[in-house]
Amino acid sequence: MERTTTASAADFLDRALVEEAAKKSGLLWVRPAGQPHARPLWHAWHDGAVVVVGDGAEQPLHGLAAGTPAALTLRSKDKGGRLVAFSAAVTAVAPGTPAWDGAVEELKGKRLNAPDTDTIGDRWARESRILRLEPTGPLAPHPDGSLAAAPVPTPVTTRKPIPAGLPKLLFKKKRRS
């Protein structure tokens, strides 16, 4: 009995961490199942899940589809580093439903520089998709090493070091007359 209580408390805390991180960060990294790389998407948190809008004139969703699981990574808003990672079930939100209306209201507030703020929900219903990414299972463990990719090899190099006197020229104080 004690074990169940501890597990449910840990699940509750994990869920709270995911919710708080999703509400504070405007960007997350999504890697649909079968895709080699994660891609950044802007999002909103609504009704216990991350919601994203894409395709049409909005951000491309690159392989993210209803019924396909995805791995999500949320970043820290202040430092920008990896905060929490988890898997999510992806479902489509149907236009005209209460879930659609709620998701549109949340996303509309996060959409910067929309050309049609008043009618954005109608445009999204015509040409875009709203997907709901609901957290499933436990949080993913933090990696032991860096996940940074190695730089691409290139023949371009710096020709020579900067001249020793250059910083003095750039940062010298102007004389008062």
Side-chain angles (χ1 to χ4, degrees), residues 98-123:
W100 174 273
D101 295 337
V104 166
E105 285 304 311
E106 289 295 325
L107 288 163
K108 184 166 58 170
K110 300 278 185 166
R111 174 64 164 91
L112 302 176
N113 303 323
D116 55 349
T117 307
D118 296 335
T119 59
I120 200 165
D122 297 333
R123 179 170 58 86

Side-chain angles (χ1 to χ4, degrees), residues 141-146:
H142 282 284
D144 289 334
S146 172

Side-chain angles (χ1 to χ4, degrees), residues 14-116:
D14 288 351
R15 187 79 141 164
L17 175 61
V18 167
E19 180 175 350
E20 191 65 23
K23 285 180 177 179
K24 293 204 183 246
S25 180
L27 181 73
L28 61 89
W29 292 87
V30 178
R31 186 178 53 80
Q35 297 289 323
H37 302 290
R39 298 191 182 267
L41 296 176
W42 64 270
H43 69 284
W45 181 263
H46 175 67
D47 197 25
V50 169
V51 288
V52 296
V53 62
D55 297 336
E58 299 299 331
Q59 62 191 344
L61 295 178
H62 298 294
L64 192 60
T68 304
L72 279 64
T73 303
L74 290 164
R75 67 189 183 116
S76 167
K77 185 169 183 138
D78 58 346
K79 303 288 184 192
R82 176 188 173 122
L83 183 61
V84 64
F86 57 96
S87 58
V90 181
T91 56
V93 180
T97 62
W100 174 273
D101 295 337
V104 166
E105 285 304 311
E106 289 295 325
L107 288 163
K108 184 166 58 170
K110 300 278 185 166
R111 174 64 164 91
L112 302 176
N113 303 323
D116 55 349

Side-chain angles (χ1 to χ4, degrees), residues 86-175:
F86 57 96
S87 58
V90 181
T91 56
V93 180
T97 62
W100 174 273
D101 295 337
V104 166
E105 285 304 311
E106 289 295 325
L107 288 163
K108 184 166 58 170
K110 300 278 185 166
R111 174 64 164 91
L112 302 176
N113 303 323
D116 55 349
T117 307
D118 296 335
T119 59
I120 200 165
D122 297 333
R123 179 170 58 86
W124 287 346
R126 280 191 317 274
E127 61 187 48
S128 299
R129 297 181 294 148
I130 293 182
L131 298 176
R132 177 180 163 85
L133 291 73
E134 187 169 359
T136 59
L139 298 181
H142 282 284
D144 289 334
S146 172
L147 297 178
V152 178
T154 177
V156 179
T157 60
T158 303
R159 293 186 308 212
K160 52 187 165 184
I162 64 169
L166 186 59
K168 289 181 182 176
L169 289 172
L170 293 175
F171 299 114
K172 73 178 183 181
K173 294 181 182 177
K174 293 183 180 183
R175 290 185 168 177

